[in-house]
């Protein structure tokens, strides 16, 4: 079982550019959540995808958007990058179908640096 | 809005000593998680606590949950250097896998 995978590992962009980050969930998982972790802080929930729809969203602007594909993988897109978008972006997968499903598994993250 | 607070934020402790990290949260939830994060790395799941009174132990770490007090603790017994990391608690808002994380506790264990 490969677990949760993310690509790319590192990314450097300049202000105003757009970026796409990718996530493949753990085998058998159907729900993908994205988190932003700024340096020295705890992860902040961005949004969650289930059945190819955004189900929940945190306090992030519309510049942050996403998508989930039929194979449950997901993309996070950020437009008009700001310096403050520099962070570690974490993808987590879980199983929505089961009651009290519990644990989320996190991927290795994508380190985004905006210059 | 659910808020999660951890204390202490920083903890420097000597090998062999015991200590407890506290996690308080502001609204009702019965799903709480503890994660470990090493510098530059992702989050490693330590414990999943799903009911009031839940207690779980793994090696030198033991976690407990008191949903009535909205409090979880992570107890470290006889600390060793390998436990040096940042520890986060996270509460599931509305039982929908939307995790609200605490501020984290940076633990350093020295000889």
């Amino acid at each position: 079982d490969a677990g949760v995978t993310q690509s790319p590992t590192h990314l450097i962009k300049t202000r105003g550019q757009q970026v796409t980050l990718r996530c493949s969930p753990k085998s058998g998982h159907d729900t993908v959540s994205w988190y932003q972790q700024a340096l020295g802080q705890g992860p902040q929930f961005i949004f969650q995808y289930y059945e190819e729809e955004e189900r929940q969203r945190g306090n992030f602007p519309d510049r942050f958007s996403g998508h989930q594909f039929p194979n449950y993988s997901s993309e996070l897109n950020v437009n008009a990058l700001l310096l403050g978008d520099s962070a570690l972006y974490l993808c987590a997968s879980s199983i929505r179908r089961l009651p009290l499903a519990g644990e989320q598994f996190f991927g290795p993250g994508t380190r985004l640096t905006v210059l | 809005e659910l808020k999660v607070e951890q204390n202490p934020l920083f903890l420097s402790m000597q090998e062999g000593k015991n200590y407890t990290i506290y996690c308080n949260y502001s609204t009702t939830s019965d799903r709480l998680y503890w994660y470990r994060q090493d510098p530059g790395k992702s989050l490693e799941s330590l414990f999943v606590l799903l009911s009031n009174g839940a207690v779980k132990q793994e090696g030198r770490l033991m976690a407990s949950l008191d949903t009535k007090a909205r409090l979880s603790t992570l107890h470290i017994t006889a600390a060793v250097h390998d436990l040096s990391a940042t520890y986060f608690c996270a509460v599931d808002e509305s039982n929908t896998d939307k995790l609200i994380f605490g501020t984290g506790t940076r633990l350093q264990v020295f000889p």
Side-chain angles (χ1 to χ4, degrees):
Chain A
D1 183 0
V4 182
T5 61
Q6 291 186 244
S7 64
T9 305
H10 296 87
L11 205 51
I12 299 175
K13 293 286 188 178
T14 56
R15 282 177 295 177
Q17 285 189 312
Q18 179 264 344
V19 68
T20 297
L21 311 181
R22 296 176 176 81
C23 172
S24 291
K26 186 177 171 66
S27 177
H29 285 194
D30 57 6
T31 302
V32 173
S33 302
W34 287 92
Y35 294 82
Q36 179 196 66
Q37 186 178 24
L39 196 62
Q41 298 184 21
Q44 301 288 317
F45 178 82
I46 302 175
F47 44 52
Q48 181 185 87
Y49 278 85
Y50 171 66
E51 291 186 334
E52 302 180 48
E53 290 189 14
E54 183 182 294
R55 299 292 176 171
Q56 299 190 83
R57 189 177 184 92
N59 295 324
F60 281 80
D62 292 343
R63 297 187 298 109
F64 290 77
S65 63
H67 189 77
Q68 186 179 35
F69 299 94
N71 66 354
Y72 306 119
S73 66
S74 176
E75 289 182 348
L76 163 65
N77 300 292
V78 187
N79 294 322
L81 284 167
L82 304 174
L83 295 179
D85 295 331
S86 295
L88 179 67
Y89 288 83
L90 295 165
C91 165
S93 75
S94 56
I95 305 174
R96 187 70 173 264
R97 294 186 300 270
L98 300 178
L100 296 179
E103 194 167 10
Q104 289 193 47
F105 291 84
F106 281 82
T110 294
R111 173 74 62 185
L112 172 64
T113 302
V114 182
L115 303 177
Chain B
E1 179 183 338
L2 174 61
K3 294 191 183 300
V4 182
E5 294 183 350
Q6 283 181 240
N7 69 83
L9 296 182
F10 298 97
L11 179 54
S12 182
M13 56 189 299
Q14 193 172 18
E15 281 187 332
K17 299 294 186 182
N18 304 331
Y19 209 84
T20 300
I21 299 171
Y22 296 89
C23 174
N24 293 274
Y25 53 99
S26 60
T27 63
T28 301
S29 176
D30 56 5
R31 297 170 73 173
L32 189 138
Y33 307 82
W34 284 96
Y35 290 91
R36 168 183 171 144
Q37 188 174 41
D38 292 295
K41 303 294 185 181
S42 186
L43 298 170
E44 173 190 354
S45 177
L46 295 175
F47 300 108
V48 180
L49 304 170
L50 298 178
S51 61
N52 186 40
V55 178
K56 291 194 175 181
Q57 182 165 5
E58 181 72 34
R60 301 176 186 274
L61 301 177
M62 183 174 70
S64 65
L65 177 62
D66 182 342
T67 58
K68 294 179 181 177
R70 299 176 187 170
L71 171 68
S72 180
T73 61
L74 180 65
H75 186 73
I76 303 159
T77 302
V80 293
H81 179 72
D82 285 351
L83 290 180
S84 298
T86 298
Y87 293 84
F88 291 97
C89 65
V91 179
D92 188 332
E93 186 178 85
S94 307
N95 289 349
T96 56
D97 293 346
K98 175 184 177 182
L99 298 185
I100 306 300
F101 281 81
T103 47
T105 297
R106 185 175 174 186
L107 171 65
Q108 283 188 319
V109 181
F110 59 92

